[in-house]
Amino acid sequence: MNQINRVAIVGGTHGNEFTGAYLIRKFAQFPDLVTRPSFETVTLLANPNAFAAGRRYVEKDLNRCFLKQDLQDPTLNSYEELQAKSIQDTLASKGDKQADFILDLHSSTANMGLTIILVNSHPLNLKLAAYLSQINPLVRVYCCSFKSIEENPFVNSLCELGFAIEVGPIAQGVLQATLFQQTEELVHAVLDYLEQSNQGKIPSTNKTLIVYHHLSVVDYPKKPDGTIFGMIHPKLQDKDYQALNPGDPIFITFDNKTIIYEGASTVWPIFINEAAYYEKGIAMCLTQRQQINI
């Protein structure tokens, strides 16, 4: 594997996800915490205006602004679209600015625990995810791989190596010490792994990895005019990464009628009742649990 020379830690991509944003502030204040001998570590508060306002975004979700065609479109000039182009210039310019690994820090109102979100199946990403899940059994790996980099709208599209860390549950605009500390521990573990990798001392990991492959999304029950008329069923709430079988309750309507899952096979839902996804029409993401060889 090629030498990693520059690692970027990004937080505050969504301005009201305080865990990552305040970790970036901490690392900026105490840079020795993320300094390693064999590579440069840079920290980036991705959406400072949204963070200052305590909002997810100002005009548009920044983590949907990194499609290659959009970054090259001079007519796209909302605040977040311009910010995405600035971040590309900072992290993905050729030469000294090119980040070799991007770690993007997020938090969720859903019961996601400590989740690694892979956007591709690069061997180093898989091995690192396996290592993190090996040293911390609370870590789960969600794979939402895109067919190509051109189809990836996330910050991580700027670099083949790297992934997002998603932690929760935590309310928007809130800091919670345990999740903050657990996220920081994962960041240090990632940096230590990359340092050892650069030195040819890649830590041994399990030969297999449990991953949750993205299948589809499910919207809330809605009327023809788009009005929601039901909620996540109490038996499903907070059951992220737990099996959902055909016939299990999935929603309950405002007149107390249960809506069941009518799929043909068992799935594992995640991002259940994520606050930020109401506007996206997503009540949960359905995944398939698989064991892969790495």
Side-chain angles (χ1 to χ4, degrees):
M1 194 200 75
N2 293 334
Q3 180 88 359
I4 290 174
N5 297 311
R6 193 168 192 247
V7 173
I9 306 173
V10 180
T13 302
H14 296 131
N16 58 1
E17 295 179 8
F18 279 6
T19 303
Y22 276 97
L23 273 171
I24 293 301
R25 281 194 160 185
K26 177 176 179 176
F27 296 150
Q29 184 177 357
F30 306 105
D32 287 351
L33 293 173
V34 292
T35 299
R36 297 296 183 272
S38 69
F39 55 80
E40 176 193 11
T41 304
V42 296
T43 57
L44 177 67
L45 181 63
N47 198 333
N49 286 9
F51 174 61
R55 295 165 53 184
R56 182 174 175 87
Y57 54 82
V58 176
E59 295 183 81
K60 185 177 180 180
D61 190 333
L62 177 59
N63 213 32
R64 303 297 184 272
C65 291
F66 289 89
L67 285 173
K68 189 173 182 180
Q69 64 194 46
D70 292 344
L71 292 170
Q72 297 173 346
D73 187 343
T75 67
L76 299 179
N77 56 9
S78 72
Y79 168 72
E80 273 82 11
E81 288 163 342
L82 293 175
Q83 192 68 9
K85 294 171 184 177
S86 174
I87 292 170
Q88 180 192 37
D89 182 61
T90 301
L91 300 183
S93 296
K94 300 302 180 184
D96 293 342
K97 285 188 175 183
Q98 178 66 52
D100 300 309
F101 189 100
I102 297 176
L103 189 61
D104 189 25
L105 307 179
H106 290 262
S107 55
S108 171
T109 64
N111 189 23
M112 294 294 286
L114 305 178
T115 294
I116 305 300
I117 301 181
L118 297 178
V119 295
N120 62 51
S121 298
H122 190 285
L124 182 130
N125 290 337
L126 290 173
K127 289 178 182 178
L128 178 48
Y131 172 74
L132 295 174
S133 63
Q134 181 173 290
I135 64 172
N136 188 338
L138 297 177
V139 170
R140 294 186 176 92
V141 181
Y142 167 46
C143 187
C144 59
S145 295
F146 297 91
K147 292 179 180 179
S148 67
I149 288 179
E150 283 73 16
E151 296 181 11
N152 180 354
F154 303 153
V155 174
N156 283 106
S157 70
L158 298 178
C159 184
E160 188 175 26
L161 297 181
F163 43 70
I165 295 177
E166 186 87 49
V167 301
I170 184 169
Q172 298 172 342
V174 169
L175 283 170
Q176 199 251 60
T178 298
L179 279 176
F180 187 94
Q181 292 168 345
Q182 290 175 333
T183 305
E184 184 174 4
E185 288 172 3
L186 282 180
V187 171
H188 291 311
V190 168
L191 297 176
D192 291 342
Y193 183 97
L194 297 177
E195 175 65 24
Q196 292 181 64
S197 177
N198 272 352
Q199 297 175 2
K201 304 174 183 176
I202 299 177
S204 61
T205 59
N206 293 330
K207 300 300 182 185
T208 60
L209 175 65
I210 299 296
V211 298
Y212 295 82
H213 278 286
H214 181 86
L215 294 175
S216 61
V217 298
V218 177
D219 198 357
Y220 293 91
K222 291 180 177 177
K223 298 177 181 178
D225 65 359
T227 303
I228 289 175
F229 67 87
M231 307 163 281
I232 299 293
H233 195 280
K235 290 185 177 179
L236 182 59
Q237 180 63 44
D238 298 324
K239 298 299 193 298
D240 300 75
Y241 292 109
Q242 297 187 31
L244 178 69
N245 301 300
D248 286 348
I250 187 169
F251 296 112
I252 187 166
T253 66
F254 296 148
D255 57 354
N256 291 322
K257 291 186 173 67
T258 294
I259 298 174
I260 63 170
Y261 172 61
E262 296 182 344
S265 60
T266 299
V267 292
W268 284 258
I270 64 173
F271 282 113
I272 299 171
N273 210 15
E274 161 60 50
Y277 287 176
Y278 274 74
E279 69 176 27
K280 299 181 187 299
I282 299 174
M284 69 196 74
C285 299
L286 302 183
T287 72
Q288 181 66 50
R289 187 178 187 269
Q290 295 180 339
Q291 178 174 291
I292 64 172
N293 297 319
I294 58 172

